[in-house]
C-alpha cells in the first residue's frame, strides 16, 4: 500500500510541522557536526533537508518517487526497510511511522539497535494518553485512518526503557496541525456531538452535512469528525544506554 500510494501524500514543507521544528532544535543542541542521522520513513526528505549542511543525512523509504526526490535533495537513501541498515548511526528519527507498524516494540528495538551507545532515537506519533483520545476512545479520528494499527503513549515508552536499554530524556506534546481558534472550537463541538449522540450525528451526515458523500459511500455516515487541532500528538527523545 505504501509503495503504491500517492507520491505527495506525506509531503510537508520543511518549516510547516511543529514536531520537525522542535526536533531540529533538540538535535542541534545534542549532535556534533558531521553526526550520522537516519530518518526511517523519510519520504521525500522534508525533515532532513535543512540539516544537510551540518550532518550526514540518511533515509529509509519505500515509495520510489518520494525516494528519488529525497536523493535529489542530497539525502543518502540506503534502502526501503530496516534490513538495509548496516553499521550504526548517531541518531535515528521516525515521524508518524510507529503507528503504522504491526509490532511497535520490535520497531523500537530496531531503532535502538541502529544507534551507537550513547546515541539518540527520536519518535513522533499520536498520544494514546491525550485527553481527547481518551474522551473519544475508538471513535477518535486518529483511529479511523485504516493504516493506523498501533497506538502508543508516554507510559508505553517509559515501560520499555529498562528492557530495551534506553532513557527518556525529553518529551513534548503538540497538535499535528496549526489551527485558528474558530477551527479548534468547531472541531471540539463536532466531536462532542459525535461522542454524545452518534445517532444524531449520523442523521446530520445523511442530510448532507459534514462534507461526506454518504449517498455514494454510506459507511461515511459513521465516520468520526476530524480533530487535527487537538493536542493529541507526542514526541519523545530517547538516549541509548
Amino acid at each position: 500500500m505504501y509503495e503504491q500510494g500517492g507520491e505527495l501524500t506525506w509531503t510537508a514543507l520543511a518549516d510547516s510541522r511543529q514536531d520537525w521544528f522542535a526536533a531540529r532544535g533538540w538535535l542541534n543542541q545534542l549532535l556534533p557536526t558531521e553526526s550520522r542521522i537516519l530518518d526511517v520513513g523519510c519520504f521525500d526528505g522534508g525533515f532532513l533537508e535543512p540539516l544537510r549542511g551540518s550532518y550526514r543525512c540518511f533515509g529509509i523509504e519505500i515509495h520510489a518517487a518520494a525516494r528519488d526526490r529525497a536523493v535529489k535533495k542530497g539525502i543518502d537513501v540506503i534502502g526501503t526497510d530496516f534490513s538495509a541498515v548496516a553499521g550504526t548511526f548517531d541518531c535515528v528519527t521516525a515521524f508518524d511511522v510507529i503507528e503504522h507498524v504491526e509490532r511497535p516494540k520490535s520497531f523500537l528495538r530496531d531503532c535502538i539497535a541502529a544507534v551507537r551507545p550513547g546515541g539518540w532515537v527520536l519518535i513522533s506519533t499520536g498520544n494514546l494518553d491525550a485527553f481527547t483520545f481518551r474522551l473519544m476512545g475508538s471513535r477518535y479520528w486518529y483511529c479511523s485512518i485504516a493504516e493506523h494499527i498501533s497506538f502508543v503513549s508516554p507510559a508505553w515508552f517509559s515501560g520499555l526503557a529498562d528492557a530495551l536499554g534506553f532513557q527518556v530524556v525529553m518529551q513534548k506534546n503538540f497538535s499535528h496541525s496549526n489551527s485558528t481558534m474558530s477551527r479548534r472550537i468547531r472541531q471540539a463541538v463536532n466531536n462532542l456531538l459525535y461522542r454524545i449522540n452518534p445517532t444524531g450525528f449520523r442523521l446530520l451526515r445523511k442530510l448532507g452535512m459534514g462534507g461526506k458523500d454518504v449517498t455514494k459511500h454510506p459507511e461515511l455516515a459513521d465516520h468520526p469528525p476530524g480533530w487535527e487541532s487537538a493536542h493529541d500528538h507526542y514526541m519523545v527523545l530517547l538516549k541509548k544506554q
Side-chain angles (χ1 to χ4, degrees), residues 146-213:
E147 60 266 32
H148 287 181
I149 57 176
S150 293
F151 306 95
V152 300
S153 68
W156 182 84
F157 283 101
S158 297
L160 290 174
D162 290 339
L164 298 188
F166 65 81
Q167 175 187 0
V168 177
V169 176
M170 286 190 282
Q171 49 195 333
K172 176 181 176 62
N173 297 316
F174 64 97
S175 300
H176 200 267
S177 63
N178 295 319
S179 301
T180 62
M181 178 60 70
S182 61
R183 188 184 184 207
R184 291 197 291 269
I185 293 173
R186 183 173 67 253
Q187 290 188 340
V189 170
N190 286 342
N191 275 272
L192 290 174
L193 175 61
Y194 179 71
R195 178 69 177 84
I196 295 169
N197 189 358
T199 302
F201 198 88
R202 183 188 306 118
L203 176 60
L204 293 175
R205 281 269 173 80
K206 289 183 176 180
L207 292 175
M209 301 180 187
K212 302 293 184 183
D213 187 357

Side-chain angles (χ1 to χ4, degrees), residues 72-209:
K72 290 179 180 178
K73 293 176 180 178
I75 312 302
D76 186 354
V77 181
I78 60 177
T80 60
D81 57 43
F82 258 116
S83 64
V85 174
T88 56
F89 297 85
D90 297 293
C91 180
V92 170
T93 60
F95 297 89
D96 298 329
V97 174
I98 197 169
E99 66 267 27
H100 297 262
V101 302
E102 184 178 2
R103 297 179 178 86
K105 181 179 178 180
S106 296
F107 174 79
L108 182 57
R109 182 185 290 113
D110 287 340
C111 290
I112 297 293
V115 299
R116 59 171 173 78
W120 307 90
V121 172
L122 192 154
I123 304 287
S124 181
T125 184
N127 180 4
L128 182 64
D129 284 344
F131 169 75
T132 51
F133 213 131
R134 291 298 188 186
L135 174 68
M136 301 301 294
S138 61
R139 290 177 173 171
Y140 200 40
W141 73 274
Y142 195 79
C143 300
S144 70
I145 300 174
E147 60 266 32
H148 287 181
I149 57 176
S150 293
F151 306 95
V152 300
S153 68
W156 182 84
F157 283 101
S158 297
L160 290 174
D162 290 339
L164 298 188
F166 65 81
Q167 175 187 0
V168 177
V169 176
M170 286 190 282
Q171 49 195 333
K172 176 181 176 62
N173 297 316
F174 64 97
S175 300
H176 200 267
S177 63
N178 295 319
S179 301
T180 62
M181 178 60 70
S182 61
R183 188 184 184 207
R184 291 197 291 269
I185 293 173
R186 183 173 67 253
Q187 290 188 340
V189 170
N190 286 342
N191 275 272
L192 290 174
L193 175 61
Y194 179 71
R195 178 69 177 84
I196 295 169
N197 189 358
T199 302
F201 198 88
R202 183 188 306 118
L203 176 60
L204 293 175
R205 281 269 173 80
K206 289 183 176 180
L207 292 175
M209 301 180 187

Side-chain angles (χ1 to χ4, degrees), residues 57-69:
C57 296
F58 302 83
I60 291 175
E61 178 53 48
I62 192 172
H63 195 286
R67 192 165 60 238
D68 290 344
R69 293 204 303 276

Side-chain angles (χ1 to χ4, degrees), residues 18-32 35 37 47 51 55 90-95 120-125 167-174 233-239:
Q18 296 183 51
D19 53 343
W20 285 3
F21 181 81
R24 293 191 196 104
W26 289 356
L27 298 186
N28 285 331
Q29 293 178 33
L30 296 169
L31 297 178
S35 292
I37 301 176
F47 169 70
L51 298 173
Y55 307 110
D90 297 293
C91 180
V92 170
T93 60
F95 297 89
W120 307 90
V121 172
L122 192 154
I123 304 287
S124 181
T125 184
Q167 175 187 0
V168 177
V169 176
M170 286 190 282
Q171 49 195 333
K172 176 181 176 62
N173 297 316
F174 64 97
H233 275 64
Y234 171 74
M235 185 169 67
V236 60
L237 182 66
L238 315 173
K239 185 176 183 179

